[in-house]
Structures are given as structure tokens and as C-alpha cells.
């Protein structure tokens, strides 16, 4: 049988997802294993993890060799587990004999440099710069009056800050432990000191602020899930709307947002607005995966986040090589089965090629 490893930072992370894959794996000739990077024994390269028993329909503790194919679902942060795990995953990606379903993407700055140079995609890319110092952030803010700061390596909306220049002060809006925070700075020195402390922890990008809120001042975006099918061809698995909390900067679902179907949301638009949006989305999703794979490593799936402003302009906000499936499952529940079988079919495609 084909051996496929489902790799997460913590033992029970995304266990439900792994279980649904494991139930269906035998019909594709696949045996599914679960493990964490730190469960690999360095000397023997054997793994203390779990193997799915298709007879008892349960996960069992098991000692096994590294599976041939690996599905990377590791989401890194600044904790000790991440610091130990990331070098191990990088080693696995270089190790002969292993093949990842998708190799992942580099940081946001590397992605920006490639997408902004592409003739078809550049009109959809917000102006972005590296935040090299607090002084450079302040200079940009004085010119543009509104800015978004994004961590170069951030995911799931963590660390995003909005800066807004008013007549007598600058307001910073951000999330801390899922709570909306607003902080005012009345002097340049105060703000500079605060920004220095922010960017000293991790590299940041400055990006043009885009007004991506609805009539109730709730942020929203369009999430599109793309995956490769049984022939290794990119297909769209679904799209939906993520609607965030009032006055927040982003519509991340982990922070209390909700999903809406794309069709119900676009019903309010005129025919011409819908047509323009459809044409722009078509251009993006037909070009984006090929451009990314042409410059970086092979991928299996992509979550593409798009922002639509009131003037009808569409913007690529983020590209995620380890996307969630919540938007598709909640807005198109009939598609859930396909999300599991597509991954297994793609694994068999890699094996046969």
C-alpha cells in the first residue's frame, strides 16, 4: 500500500480531518499515519505515531518508518514546539525518498515580489513595502494617512495592525487575544517607540490600506479554495464570503467571523458588477497557481483571499498553501466528500507518476 503521513505540530491537531481521510484511504490503496515532527527518532528515523486501523475504525499507537508521501499541516508560531519542529520539516523536505503533497510557500515579501511583476496579476496586487524601520513606517504613513502592517510570515490574521493618521494623533488598531484593541499616540516619539517594539520581534510589511468593509462596518473577503485533482490539474473546490466582526480589520473566522455563500452575497449586485467580478476572479485563479509554481516549489492546494472595494476593484490579499476548508464546507456542504477524495486521488497520481 501507499504510505501517507499526516503531519501536525501537536498530536491531536486536526485529528477529525485526518480521520475522515483515513476512513477513505484504503479504497485508494493508501495507509494513513499521523505524527508530529518531534516524534521522529533521529538515530533510527523511526516514528512513534499513530496508524489508522480500518477494521476497528480507530487510531492505534504504532512505531513505523517515515511514510513515502507527506501532508504538511504544521502552522508555526514563536513557541518552542515550532522552533524545534520547523528545522525537522525542512530536513524532511530535503530528504531523498520522501515526497510532500505540497511543498508550501515562502514569506509574503517573496510572494509579493513575484506576483507584482506578473503582467496579468500585478493590477490585483496592493502596493507593499518592507517595514525596515519605525522611521520608514512613519514616512509612509505621513504620505498615505492609512496603512496596514502585516508580518512577513504571518498566518490566520495574527499580528496585523492598522495605522490611521488623524489631525492630532495616530490610532493603531489590532487584535490581542481575539480582543479588538485601539491605541492612540499623540507624539511621534511615542509611536516610534511602540513601532520599534513591534518590528523588533519579527519582520513586517507595510501595505496600502484598502476599505474592505460592508455597510455595517464589518470586514469581508472572498475565500477561494483551489486543489489539484486526480490528473494533477488545478480545479476550484469552492468559494465563499468570510464576514468579520464590526470595526475589526480582517474577517478571520478564528476570531469570531462567519461564512456566507458567494451566490447569496452577489445577488445584491447588478448584472454588470457580477460579470466584472466573475471575469476578474477567473483571471486570478487561472493564472495565480502557475505563477507561484513557476517560481517556487510544487503545491497541492491554495487558499486565495480576495478583497473587493466599493469602487469594484478586486485585490489579492493573501495566498495560503495550508488553507482551511471551513468556508467551503459551511457554504457548500455537498462538497465535503470531494475535499477528502481529491487529496487521496492526488496522492495516487503522484505515486503513479
Amino acid at each position: 500500500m501507499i504510505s501517507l503521513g499526516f503531519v501536525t505540530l501537536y498530536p491531536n491537531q486536526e485529528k477529525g480531518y485526518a480521520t475522515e481521510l483515513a476512513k477513505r484511504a484504503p479504497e485508494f490503496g493508501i495507509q494513513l499515519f499521523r505524527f508530529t515532527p518531534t516524534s521522529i527518532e533521529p538515530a533510527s528515523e523511526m516514528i512513534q505515531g499513530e496508524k489508522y486501523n480500518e477494521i476497528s475504525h480507530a487510531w492505534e499507537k504504532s512505531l513505523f518508518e517515515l511514510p513515502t508521501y507527506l501532508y504538511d499541516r504544521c502552522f508555526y508560531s514563536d513557541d518552542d514546539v515550532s522552533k524545534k519542529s520547523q528545522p525537522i520539516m525542512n530536513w524532511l523536505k530535503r530528504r531523498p525518498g520522501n515526497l510532500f503533497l505540497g511543498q508550501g510557500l515562502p514569506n509574503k515579501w517573496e510572494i509579493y515580489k513575484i506576483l507584482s511583476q506578473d503582467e496579468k496579476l500585478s493590477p490585483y496586487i496592493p502596493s507593499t513595502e518592507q517595514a525596515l524601520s519605525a522611521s520608514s513606517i512613519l514616512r509612509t504613513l505621513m504620505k498615505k494617512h492609512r496603512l496596514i502592517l502585516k508580518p512577513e510570515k504571518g498566518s490566520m490574521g495574527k499580528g496585523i495592525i492598522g495605522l490611521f493618521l488623524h489631525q492630532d494623533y495616530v490610532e493603531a488598531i489590532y487584535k490581542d487575544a481575539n480582543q479588538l484593541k485601539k491605541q492612540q499616540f499623540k507624539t511621534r516619539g511615542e509611536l516610534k517607540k511602540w513601532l520599534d517594539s513591534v518590528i523588533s520581534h519579527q519582520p513586517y510589511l507595510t501595505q496600502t490600506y484598502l476599505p474592505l468593509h460592508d455597510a455595517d462596518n464589518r470586514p469581508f473577503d472572498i475565500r477561494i479554495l483551489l486543489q489539484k485533482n486526480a490528473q494533477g490539474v488545478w480545479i476550484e473546490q469552492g468559494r465563499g464570503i468570510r464576514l468579520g466582526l464590526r470595526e475589526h480589520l480582517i474577517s478571520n473566522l478564528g476570531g469570531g467571523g462567519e461564512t456566507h455563500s458567494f451566490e447569496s452575497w452577489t445577488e445584491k449586485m447588478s448584472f454588470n458588477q457580477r460579470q466584472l467580478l466573475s471575469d476578474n476572479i477567473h483571471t486570478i485563479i487561472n493564472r495565480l497557481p502557475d505563477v507561484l509554481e513557476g517560481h517556487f516549489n510544487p503545491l497541492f492546494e491554495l487558499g486565495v483571499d480576495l478583497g473587493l472595494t466599493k469602487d469594484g476593484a478586486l485585490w489579492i490579499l493573501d495566498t495560503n498553501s495550508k488553507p482551511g476548508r471551513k468556508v467551503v464546507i459551511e457554504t457548500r456542504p455537498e462538497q465535503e466528500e470531494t475535499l477528502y477524495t481529491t487529496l487521496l486521488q492526488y496522492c495516487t497520481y503522484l505515486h503513479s507518476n
Side-chain angles (χ1 to χ4, degrees):
M1 289 185 93
I2 301 168
S3 59
L4 172 61
F6 190 100
V7 195
T8 56
L9 288 187
Y10 301 96
N12 287 316
Q13 204 169 5
E14 295 197 317
K15 186 176 181 178
Y17 181 25
T19 302
E20 294 303 323
L21 290 171
K23 288 178 186 174
R24 297 159 176 81
E27 65 184 276
F28 296 91
I30 295 172
Q31 171 72 67
L32 201 71
F33 300 86
R34 292 174 61 240
F35 65 96
T36 66
T38 53
S39 65
I40 303 172
E41 297 178 352
S44 64
E45 295 185 4
M46 295 293 285
I47 299 172
Q48 288 282 359
E50 291 186 336
K51 178 175 71 172
Y52 190 75
N53 186 324
E54 59 181 289
I55 297 171
S56 63
H57 304 292
W59 291 99
E60 298 174 346
K61 288 186 178 179
S62 178
L63 180 68
F64 49 87
E65 295 180 346
L66 270 167
T68 306
Y69 300 91
L70 299 171
Y71 184 36
D72 177 8
R73 296 296 292 176
C74 295
F75 300 94
Y76 305 109
S77 59
D78 287 332
D79 63 4
D80 289 339
V81 174
S82 294
K83 289 171 184 174
K84 289 177 184 174
S85 300
Q86 198 163 11
I88 298 170
M89 293 301 286
N90 291 338
W91 164 73
L92 283 176
K93 288 176 180 178
R94 295 190 301 267
R95 183 181 181 273
N98 289 113
L99 188 61
F100 280 75
L101 300 192
Q103 285 273 356
L105 288 169
N107 65 53
K108 288 177 169 53
W109 179 242
E110 296 301 320
I111 294 170
Y112 169 78
K113 287 192 291 185
I114 294 304
L115 299 186
S116 61
Q117 292 168 9
D118 185 80
E119 187 179 352
K120 288 186 177 177
L121 294 177
S122 60
Y124 304 103
I125 307 299
S127 175
T128 304
E129 297 173 356
Q130 283 184 298
L132 300 175
S133 67
S135 297
S136 68
I137 297 170
L138 286 171
R139 283 195 296 271
T140 307
L141 180 62
M142 294 304 136
K143 288 180 198 170
K144 299 191 174 180
H145 297 181
R146 298 188 294 179
L147 274 185
I148 291 289
L149 293 180
K150 288 184 177 180
E152 270 192 24
K153 296 180 181 178
S155 63
M156 295 180 275
K158 292 177 182 175
I160 291 180
I161 300 167
L163 291 178
F164 304 92
L165 178 63
H166 298 272
Q167 188 169 351
D168 300 319
Y169 63 94
V170 170
E171 184 174 48
I173 299 178
Y174 56 95
K175 268 197 339 185
D176 184 18
N178 272 343
Q179 295 294 314
L180 184 67
K181 300 283 186 180
K182 294 184 178 182
Q183 198 165 339
Q184 292 184 5
F185 300 91
K186 297 194 174 179
T187 70
R188 184 185 180 92
E190 275 183 85
L191 178 56
K192 186 176 181 298
K193 185 178 178 181
W194 185 76
L195 288 172
D196 275 328
S197 70
V198 169
I199 63 176
S200 65
H201 289 97
Q202 59 180 321
Y204 264 80
L205 302 175
T206 60
Q207 198 169 76
T208 300
Y209 173 81
L210 300 170
L212 303 172
H213 289 70
D214 65 8
D216 295 321
N217 201 21
R218 297 180 68 180
F220 69 92
D221 63 17
I222 305 164
R223 161 57 69 92
I224 301 175
L225 178 61
L226 307 175
Q227 290 182 325
K228 284 180 178 174
N229 65 9
Q231 290 77 44
V233 176
W234 285 102
I235 58 169
E236 181 183 333
Q237 293 284 33
R239 62 179 72 171
I241 304 301
R242 301 190 303 181
L243 188 62
L245 301 175
R246 284 193 67 192
E247 298 186 8
H248 281 234
L249 292 172
I250 58 168
S251 48
N252 186 266
L253 298 181
E258 59 190 50
T259 60
H260 293 266
S261 78
F262 182 81
E263 292 73 21
S264 65
W265 182 74
T266 53
E267 276 177 3
K268 305 163 191 172
M269 295 181 173
S270 69
F271 174 80
N272 288 339
Q273 287 174 323
R274 281 199 304 271
Q275 192 62 46
L276 178 62
L277 178 60
S278 176
D279 290 347
N280 283 328
I281 290 176
H282 179 81
T283 298
I284 291 169
I285 64 176
N286 278 277
R287 181 69 180 154
L288 184 63
D290 291 339
V291 172
L292 292 174
E293 287 196 303
H295 289 86
F296 306 121
N297 294 312
L299 302 165
F300 159 60
E301 57 192 345
L302 271 176
V304 183
D305 298 336
L306 305 175
L308 183 68
T309 53
K310 290 176 183 177
D311 59 3
L314 192 66
W315 301 93
I316 299 173
L317 304 178
D318 202 6
T319 51
N320 185 351
S321 58
K322 298 175 187 176
R325 303 159 306 285
K326 188 174 181 179
V327 172
V328 175
I329 291 172
E330 288 190 353
T331 60
R332 297 183 64 189
E334 73 280 0
Q335 195 72 2
E336 185 172 4
E337 181 68 23
T338 306
L339 294 180
Y340 303 126
T341 55
T342 299
L343 184 145
L344 298 167
Q345 288 168 347
Y346 181 63
C347 187
T348 60
Y349 161 79
L350 288 178
H351 188 68
S352 63
N353 283 273

